[in-house]
Amino acid sequence: MARRGAAALALALALLAVALAGAAAQGAAVEDPDYYVQEIWSREPYYARLEPEPFSPPLPAGPGEEERKLRASEPRPPKKATKPKKAPKREKLAPETPPPGKKSNRKGVKTKSSEKAAGDDHRVPVARDAVREGCPPLGLETLKITDFQLHASTSKRYGLGAHRGRLNIQAGINENDFYDGAWCAGRNDLHQWIEVDARRLTKFTGVITQGRNSLWLSDWVTSYKVMVSNDSHTWVTVKNGSGDMIFEGNREKEIPVLNELPVPMVARYIRINPQSWFDNGSICMRMEILGCPLPDPNNYYHRRNEMTTTDDLDFKHHSYKEMRQLMKVVNEMCSNITRIYNIGKSHQGLKLYAVEISDHPGEHEVGEPEFHYIAGAHGNEVLGRELMLLLLQFLCQEYLARNSRIVRLVEETRIHIIPSLNPDGYEKAYEGGSELGGWSLGRWTHDGIDINNNFPDLNTLLWGAEDRQNIPRKVPNHYIAIPEWFLSENATVAVETRAVIAWMEKIPFVLGGNLQGGELVVAYPYDMARSTWQMQEHTPTPDDHVFRWLAYAYASTHRLMTDARRRVCHTEDFQKEDGTVNGASWHTVAGSLNDFSYLHTNCFELSIYVGCDKYPHESELPEEWENNRESLIVFMEQVHRGIKGLVRDLHGKGIPNAVISVEGVNHDIRTGHVGEFRRNWKSSSEKAELQLLPIFVSDLRGCRRTPPVLLPFSDILLNGYDTPSLVWLE
């Protein structure tokens, strides 16, 4: 423990030293070779920042008095307040247009409701950054707020109840009775409300709203009042001088709108009371509440459920520059086991950085498997990116502390991590921020391409040949060639996609995971349904039992994925398969990274959806790290499970491109340039140790095929690392 603490302290000091050294270079260009000087990172907790005194509402004379004073006339939205000088003035934005400004951390429409009315003695200016950083979201989007804490006056039906009034929640395909895209009131009048029970005294500082997520309907609230209460019976309305404050709501259904309270309000309950709504629509809204729960040392329930972490890591959201800086610090701390390189550039010219972690960086060792993690293919799915940066720090610290598990993993595995495959999209999402980016801002590349679905469709080539019984020409069941049209310059292929393909063709990966967001599940191939026009169809690969095992290895060690009590993120309940799903049975996708990797390389690839909230507030990062840390390590360790060996000729020279076949599995792999191979394998039988595995080897140069080698499962299905090497002599 002493060594681990020393390593953590050394890394923290290095981070601070490099940050302080770079304070004078804040204006450096993104691609400046002398970039690695960086501005100081703010670590101030919310209670160290200047904030107005919170206001605890007194009890009114009679219950319900504030509700009886609802205005019958059309409300008047408040005037905009002058923004702080450090932030540029912003206009209302279109859904896909990010605001100007490097560090704004905002997106969408923002209404500042802190203007001073005549005779208002309570008005205190509230710093924009203090509200955003000081009081995080309560957790409607992340599901920290349970369904039992959400209540409403009325609802149209169950699928539009208060439990659906969460920021960024998505409707089901059919917008059915159970999973619709908002809370919608049963009547359109001024007496409707939705409220949150924080279950403890909380300093409320702001409200974020959206309209209804729907393909067919246009429903959103254009203005509303905010009320607070200590007992849910008597309510105090937020005032603007002597009158009730009317907050400006949404102008369309998807762009989040933030309203900051003029003075923080301390209470247990907060209620939103719509005052006007879209002319042709209904009262429907999704929301998030910003608030700081007050300390309550006597409440055992809250203390028991608060998540903490003992890992001393940099829990924050990193811009592109800060990401590079962090990689540099880790590389300097663990220079003997890390290497930073790039696989290409984005559409905007940002380098696509990768970090290699190995006992011999830059060198492929015979018999040592290659593993990769990729994150950020969708630029706005930020949690995966931050988990990768945390993993880099963790592996470095634990290796220096001589954690035997991590030392063994690093010394016997070559690990590659790409934290941000779509940095252009991320920078757009980063400007929007974790609460105001919406569901799609930054998802695509700068030229509007979804990287995750931009790979060549090799499934159709394989299945077409199988349906024709390989006539007029035979198509192999592996290493399927990329079509010529895909390689042409005029093809709609992102430069980031081409870079990943070249990277995967160069390095003989055995296992990989691409981290995504917006759900909590591990998806395995095939991702494309075999039947034409089918949106959902279970389409397993010949290695289905292997993929199911790999997916379960991650899901079962995650803190929440296999918890049958947890609430579904949006519409899908994945508990019937223990937090895993066949991609095509969820929703069909042509040209996915998983399918391409399986059909074009030796790598088995899975999509790991690490959280319901694509872009959680940075205060959530320690808990998300605890949720995923063990899973990230266990999944890497699976690269050592299976069959490995060398194929050599009579002179001992390795035979490249020899085909390794397993009887009964219609998917082969090939040896590398020195004749080595490694194949993921998991028995589908409970009595595997009593069976023999027939393995065939074919030399493509002479198309000769060896007699089958019968290998007992007991010799190959060990818990990694000790798998014996197999050698054939041609």
Side-chain angles (χ1 to χ4, degrees):
M1 281 304 279
R3 278 188 250 170
R4 176 176 173 178
L9 178 61
L11 181 58
L13 291 174
L15 285 166
L16 180 60
V18 178
L20 289 172
Q26 297 180 15
V30 169
E31 286 303 315
D32 188 340
D34 295 327
Y35 154 72
Y36 295 115
V37 281
Q38 185 67 6
E39 59 266 28
I40 298 175
W41 298 346
S42 173
R43 290 288 197 281
E44 282 189 290
Y46 74 86
Y47 49 79
R49 298 177 183 274
L50 179 62
E51 286 197 9
E53 289 295 324
F55 175 71
S56 185
L59 298 180
E65 179 179 350
E66 293 298 332
E67 292 179 305
R68 292 194 296 270
K69 293 182 180 179
L70 291 171
R71 287 170 42 174
S73 59
E74 184 70 17
R76 176 184 61 83
K79 296 182 293 182
K80 301 276 185 166
T82 303
K83 298 188 177 182
K85 291 183 179 180
K86 65 179 180 180
K89 185 177 179 181
R90 308 217 184 134
E91 302 296 332
K92 304 282 184 177
L93 300 175
E96 287 305 315
T97 305
K102 181 177 75 170
K103 288 277 189 177
S104 63
N105 215 24
R106 297 284 189 188
K107 195 277 176 191
V109 181
K110 173 176 177 295
T111 301
K112 292 219 35 164
S113 316
S114 56
E115 70 273 17
K116 181 178 177 69
D120 181 8
D121 295 329
H122 298 285
R123 191 265 185 186
V124 180
V126 180
R128 179 177 64 85
D129 285 346
V131 173
R132 173 176 59 83
E133 296 181 3
C135 283
L138 290 187
L140 276 77
E141 185 175 7
T142 61
L143 306 182
K144 269 193 168 182
I145 297 295
T146 69
D147 291 350
F148 300 106
Q149 293 174 258
L150 299 172
H151 308 279
S153 52
T154 61
S155 60
K156 284 190 173 182
R157 49 185 169 81
Y158 178 78
L160 293 169
H163 65 292
R164 302 298 292 177
R166 301 172 181 272
L167 192 71
N168 286 321
I169 203 165
Q170 301 295 293
I173 296 176
N174 300 317
E175 300 182 25
N176 56 39
D177 286 341
F178 293 99
Y179 301 116
D180 219 322
W183 161 70
C184 289
R187 300 184 299 274
N188 290 338
D189 60 46
L190 297 177
H191 299 279
Q192 305 305 309
W193 49 263
I194 180 172
E195 71 180 46
V196 179
D197 175 7
R199 288 184 173 169
R200 62 196 292 183
L201 285 179
T202 300
K203 179 173 64 175
F204 298 115
T205 59
V207 177
I208 302 172
T209 60
Q210 278 175 316
R212 178 180 180 179
N213 175 249
S214 172
L215 293 174
W216 325 109
L217 301 172
S218 297
D219 299 316
W220 61 85
V221 170
T222 56
S223 67
Y224 57 88
K225 293 181 182 180
V226 176
M227 305 174 180
V228 294
S229 172
N230 290 326
D231 59 8
S232 79
H233 296 293
T234 53
W235 294 85
V236 172
T237 304
V238 175
K239 300 287 185 181
N240 179 19
S242 58
D244 296 346
M245 174 169 281
I246 307 295
F247 293 90
E248 184 178 351
N250 298 87
R251 293 190 175 183
E252 56 86 71
K253 56 190 176 185
E254 288 298 335
I255 302 179
V257 174
L258 166 67
N259 278 286
E260 295 167 352
L261 304 186
V263 176
M265 306 287 283
V266 173
R268 172 175 169 173
Y269 302 87
I270 186 168
R271 176 178 287 184
I272 310 302
N273 170 217
Q275 295 293 290
S276 62
W277 44 93
F278 181 58
D279 290 342
N280 298 320
S282 302
I283 296 178
C284 295
M285 64 190 311
R286 296 172 284 169
M287 66 177 187
E288 181 63 87
I289 305 297
L290 303 184
C292 296
L294 299 185
D296 188 5
N298 297 320
N299 193 320
Y300 172 75
Y301 173 83
H302 292 301
R303 284 187 286 118
R304 191 185 69 168
N305 287 277
E306 288 176 349
M307 169 58 62
T308 58
T309 181
T310 58
D311 294 326
D312 185 17
L313 307 175
D314 191 30
F315 294 106
K316 62 165 286 182
H317 288 300
H318 297 80
S319 67
Y320 181 78
K321 286 185 176 182
E322 292 166 339
M323 178 187 73
R324 290 180 55 184
Q325 178 68 14
L326 183 60
M327 288 180 175
K328 178 67 173 178
V329 170
V330 171
N331 178 240
E332 291 176 348
M333 288 294 300
C334 295
S335 57
N336 59 324
I337 62 166
T338 61
R339 177 176 70 102
I340 302 174
Y341 64 100
N342 73 81
I343 67 170
K345 290 187 177 181
S346 71
H347 187 274
Q348 291 291 89
L350 301 180
K351 291 180 180 178
L352 307 178
Y353 285 106
V355 178
E356 176 192 341
I357 303 174
S358 170
D359 58 340
H360 292 87
E363 175 186 346
H364 173 75
E365 299 178 71
V366 176
E368 185 169 286
E370 306 263 3
F371 175 92
H372 74 250
Y373 273 129
I374 298 174
H378 296 148
N380 66 329
E381 293 171 6
V382 175
L383 178 56
R385 167 194 174 106
E386 295 305 328
L387 287 175
M388 291 296 95
L389 296 179
L390 292 169
L391 181 62
L392 291 175
Q393 300 171 65
F394 179 79
L395 293 176
C396 174
Q397 286 186 8
E398 295 302 303
Y399 185 85
L400 293 177
R402 306 309 294 173
N403 179 323
S404 58
R405 183 187 186 190
I406 300 304
V407 169
R408 191 181 193 191
L409 180 65
V410 170
E411 291 183 350
E412 300 190 26
T413 319
R414 193 179 181 208
I415 304 166
H416 304 257
I417 296 176
I418 297 181
S420 185
L421 184 58
N422 180 8
D424 296 348
Y426 173 77
E427 289 299 294
K428 189 181 295 185
Y430 182 77
E431 289 180 350
S434 61
E435 287 78 63
L436 298 182
W439 186 252
S440 61
L441 179 71
R443 174 184 177 90
W444 300 280
T445 63
H446 190 269
D447 48 345
I449 296 175
D450 185 337
I451 297 176
N452 195 55
N453 308 333
N454 191 224
F455 293 84
D457 171 16
L458 305 182
N459 306 57
T460 300
L461 296 177
L462 173 65
W463 297 335
E466 290 178 348
D467 293 341
R468 298 189 306 268
Q469 297 182 344
N470 295 322
I471 299 173
R473 64 185 182 87
K474 184 175 182 178
V475 174
N477 66 9
H478 69 295
Y479 271 44
I480 300 175
I482 297 175
E484 292 185 6
W485 66 264
F486 188 90
L487 301 175
S488 68
E489 294 183 0
N490 297 327
T492 307
V493 182
V495 292
E496 296 89 346
T497 305
R498 297 188 189 276
V500 170
I501 291 176
W503 180 59
M504 297 187 72
E505 289 178 334
K506 180 179 180 180
I507 301 176
F509 291 115
V510 177
L511 180 64
N514 56 89
L515 273 60
Q516 302 188 46
E519 264 299 349
L520 201 55
V521 68
V522 181
Y524 54 89
Y526 288 121
D527 288 331
M528 181 179 177
R530 182 156 186 166
S531 299
T532 308
W533 306 114
Q534 287 291 328
M535 297 299 295
Q536 295 176 311
E537 180 187 48
H538 184 71
T539 309
T541 66
D543 285 289
D544 189 58
H545 61 290
V546 181
F547 278 115
R548 290 168 67 93
W549 166 259
L550 293 171
Y552 184 71
Y554 193 100
S556 63
T557 50
H558 190 279
R559 288 184 63 250
L560 298 175
M561 276 191 190
T562 55
D563 186 351
R565 300 167 297 175
R566 74 172 182 88
R567 185 194 187 281
V568 300
C569 291
H570 300 280
T571 64
E572 300 286 346
D573 185 359
F574 299 108
Q575 293 309 309
K576 60 182 179 292
E577 293 188 44
D578 293 319
T580 69
V581 67
N582 172 257
S585 67
W586 182 12
H587 56 266
T588 185
V589 169
S592 75
L593 172 57
N594 292 346
D595 291 2
F596 168 80
S597 180
Y598 182 65
L599 295 176
H600 186 69
T601 75
N602 285 341
C603 183
F604 284 32
E605 183 96 17
L606 291 84
S607 293
I608 303 169
Y609 293 79
V610 291
C612 302
D613 188 352
K614 292 183 177 183
Y615 195 159
H617 190 272
E618 66 182 34
S619 63
E620 300 290 333
L621 294 179
E623 181 170 353
E624 293 294 354
W625 168 246
E626 288 295 322
N627 289 343
N628 288 276
R629 177 185 57 195
E630 180 65 15
S631 301
L632 291 168
I633 297 171
V634 167
F635 187 69
M636 285 191 287
E637 290 173 335
Q638 301 312 301
V639 76
H640 292 278
R641 176 182 288 274
I643 312 160
K644 69 177 180 180
L646 291 168
V647 179
R648 300 186 292 208
D649 59 22
L650 293 174
H651 304 289
K653 184 178 180 181
I655 301 176
N657 287 320
V659 177
I660 310 299
S661 304
V662 178
E663 187 174 64
V665 180
N666 187 29
H667 182 80
D668 303 331
I669 64 168
R670 298 194 186 188
T671 58
H673 68 282
V674 295
E676 67 173 320
F677 73 90
R678 184 179 289 267
R679 194 192 201 286
N680 288 290
W681 186 258
K682 175 70 173 69
S683 171
S684 58
S685 170
E686 294 180 359
K687 298 182 179 180
E689 68 277 5
L690 303 178
Q691 299 180 3
L692 298 178
L693 179 66
I695 302 175
F696 298 87
V697 181
S698 301
D699 178 4
L700 292 184
R701 296 175 301 183
C703 294
R704 291 184 296 164
R705 185 178 175 110
T706 67
V709 176
L710 300 180
L711 189 70
F713 274 111
S714 58
D715 288 341
I716 62 173
L717 287 179
L718 304 177
N719 293 322
Y721 301 110
D722 299 323
T723 308
S725 295
L726 313 177
V727 178
W728 284 268
L729 297 180
E730 285 285 330

